[in-house]
Amino acid sequence: MTREIKVKICLMGEGEVGKTSLIKRFVLEMFDDKYLATLGTKVTKKVLDMRSSDLNANITMMIWDIMGQKGFRLLLKEAYFYGANAGLLISDCTRRKTLDDLEEWIGSIREIAGNIPMVVLANKSDLVKHAEFGEAELKEFAKAHDMACFMTSAKTGDNVDEAFEKLARILVEKTGR
């Protein structure tokens, strides 16, 4: 019998790291390089069939995207993070500060949702010439927080599905096979 699991996943990271673009790539399999700031929050749904030799579940992911600006997230963080089952921490590898800023995001979500599973991403890996940090720094950050990590590109699709699927697998395993 296939288990049905529904989860709330919050995307976190500063403005312009590519949160909305990652969702579009994962859910709609498309990329648009026109930047439109997220105003408020947006929820997108995707169902993953997690049946394999070791798993048997359908996981409905309610993916929450929030505006990255500090003042706004301080205002809405309780409502945004309340009931979250997992998080994706997004940084932009062309801006080192966005990786460092994830510390604050981790503190905020854990304050409201507890010690939920999270995966950390360095997006825009296709812009290697402009990178301010790479996979080694990302792995170091992830290891310090006991998280999986991925270098992703919403533009090319590199590792986007893998990152969301890793988080889904963690959640399915956490709730029992």
Side-chain angles (χ1 to χ4, degrees), residues 24-38:
K24 278 185 180 175
R25 171 60 72 182
F26 178 60
V27 176
L28 304 173
E29 298 178 12
M30 65 176 280
F31 176 77
D32 184 352
D33 61 1
K34 288 189 232 55
Y35 177 71
L36 293 171
T38 300

Side-chain angles (χ1 to χ4, degrees), residues 3-16:
R3 288 187 311 126
E4 299 293 330
I5 301 168
K6 186 174 181 181
V7 295
K8 176 180 178 179
I9 298 172
C10 293
L11 267 64
M12 297 163 278
E14 299 304 305
E16 300 180 48

Side-chain angles (χ1 to χ4, degrees), residues 4-170:
E4 299 293 330
I5 301 168
K6 186 174 181 181
V7 295
K8 176 180 178 179
I9 298 172
C10 293
L11 267 64
M12 297 163 278
E14 299 304 305
E16 300 180 48
V17 295
K19 296 181 297 290
T20 303
S21 294
L22 285 163
I23 293 170
K24 278 185 180 175
R25 171 60 72 182
F26 178 60
V27 176
L28 304 173
E29 298 178 12
M30 65 176 280
F31 176 77
D32 184 352
D33 61 1
K34 288 189 232 55
Y35 177 71
L36 293 171
T38 300
L39 300 175
T41 60
K42 183 176 183 206
V43 181
T44 308
K45 173 180 161 181
K46 176 144 182 179
V47 179
L48 286 181
D49 180 352
M50 300 294 292
R51 284 181 283 197
S52 65
S53 60
D54 62 333
L55 296 176
N56 190 15
N58 282 327
I59 185 163
T60 301
M61 303 173 94
M62 303 305 293
I63 306 166
W64 287 54
D65 186 7
I66 190 173
M67 184 176 183
Q69 282 63 28
K70 275 187 172 53
F72 184 82
R73 74 168 178 256
L74 289 173
L75 199 62
L76 287 185
K77 76 177 185 180
E78 289 199 29
Y80 180 68
F81 294 139
Y82 181 79
N85 302 102
L88 274 176
L89 297 158
I90 320 296
S91 61
D92 171 350
C93 68
T94 69
R95 295 183 291 148
R96 170 66 201 213
K97 184 172 178 358
T98 64
L99 182 63
D100 300 334
D101 288 343
L102 291 178
E103 294 287 351
E104 188 178 328
W105 285 97
I106 292 169
S108 293
I109 195 166
R110 286 194 170 148
E111 179 184 323
I112 307 298
N115 193 20
I116 60 173
M118 289 186 259
V119 172
V120 62
L121 312 181
N123 195 34
K124 304 184 186 179
S125 63
D126 56 293
L127 299 176
V128 74
K129 287 185 214 160
H130 304 286
E132 291 185 1
F133 70 94
E135 193 168 10
E137 294 91 341
L138 180 66
K139 284 181 176 180
E140 185 179 312
F141 181 92
K143 184 178 180 185
H145 295 283
D146 194 29
M147 297 176 190
C149 65
F150 293 88
M151 297 291 292
T152 60
S153 170
K155 184 175 187 175
T156 66
D158 285 350
N159 288 323
V160 175
D161 287 353
E162 291 83 352
F164 279 92
E165 288 166 8
K166 174 67 174 176
L167 192 56
R169 178 174 272 281
I170 292 168

